[in-house]
Amino acid sequence: MAILPILKYPDPVLKQPSVPVEEINDEVQKLIDDMTETMYQAPGIGLAANQVGALHRVIVFDVSPPEERPKPVVIVNPKIIAAEGEVKYTEACLSVGDFSSEVRRKARVTVSGLDRQGHPLEIEGEGLLAIVLQHEIDHLDGRLFIDRISRLKRGLYMRQIQKQMKK
Ligand code: NI
């Protein structure tokens, strides 16, 4: 397993939609292992493949309580098949750095996909699990949480990173 560099905004790869995995081969298995290790090392609670430069539809996450970790969940080709309710949650992202903001999301989602053995799975979630599922699937569609906040708040973030880049 290897710890991979995590791409940061405004890296253009983060804006690219990822393509579905057609075969869960050794390369994809290795990607899953590396993503899992990279996520824990960051540390983060979720990671999408394009955050480490691989444009495959693969996400990993672990929202279990600290004492139960590690309990990584992998979804290949995740897809939201049902969603309801509304919730606001303060989000951050390993690709966005030192910035967090409230984002409006669906309160409950059902996601279908494949596990790493290629078996179909379905995960129904609310609370943090629902947020993480939507946040990571957004990544696969080339979308960051800062794309879902107000223009005013995004402006604050833009000025913040411009300052950091000048340093
Ligand atoms: Ni993220």
Side-chain angles (χ1 to χ4, degrees):
M1 283 198 249
I3 291 163
L4 305 171
I6 297 174
L7 304 182
K8 303 272 198 234
Y9 180 88
D11 192 301
V13 173
L14 296 169
K15 287 243 163 214
Q16 281 176 43
S18 301
V19 294
V21 173
E22 282 176 23
E23 186 201 351
I24 306 175
N25 53 23
D26 290 351
E27 186 205 337
V28 174
Q29 294 290 354
K30 184 179 183 322
L31 174 66
I32 290 168
D33 287 339
D34 291 349
M35 282 172 64
T36 306
E37 184 156 355
T38 302
M39 173 182 76
Y40 285 125
Q41 200 266 344
I45 56 170
L47 195 69
N50 62 336
Q51 290 182 276
V52 293
L55 287 169
H56 299 303
R57 296 189 78 85
V58 176
I59 62 172
V60 301
F61 59 89
D62 186 344
V63 294
S64 56
E67 65 275 16
E68 288 174 25
R69 287 176 157 224
K71 251 193 210 168
V73 180
V74 176
I75 313 181
V76 175
N77 299 340
K79 197 174 167 191
I80 295 170
I81 54 169
E84 59 171 14
E86 234 185 51
V87 71
K88 278 187 191 163
Y89 202 93
T90 301
E91 296 187 25
C93 178
L94 295 172
S95 292
V96 170
D98 195 17
F99 181 77
S100 59
S101 186
E102 214 172 52
V103 183
R104 196 186 299 262
R105 297 279 189 188
K106 296 293 182 187
R108 284 170 296 281
V109 294
T110 307
V111 171
S112 72
L114 302 172
D115 67 15
R116 65 182 300 169
Q117 278 78 43
H119 301 129
L121 63 77
E122 213 172 278
I123 294 179
E124 217 182 303
E126 60 180 0
L128 182 59
L129 175 57
I131 303 299
V132 168
L133 286 165
Q134 292 169 85
H135 178 115
E136 302 310 330
I137 292 171
D138 260 2
H139 272 299
L140 301 181
D141 295 326
R143 201 176 298 129
L144 298 169
F145 81 89
I146 51 171
D147 297 319
R148 290 189 180 275
I149 63 181
S150 73
R151 190 182 281 239
L152 187 74
K153 283 185 187 154
R154 195 161 49 241
L156 286 176
Y157 171 64
M158 297 301 169
R159 282 198 291 282
Q160 189 177 314
I161 59 163
Q162 272 159 13
K163 257 189 234 161
Q164 280 164 5
M165 282 171 146
K166 274 184 206 149
K167 271 182 201 162

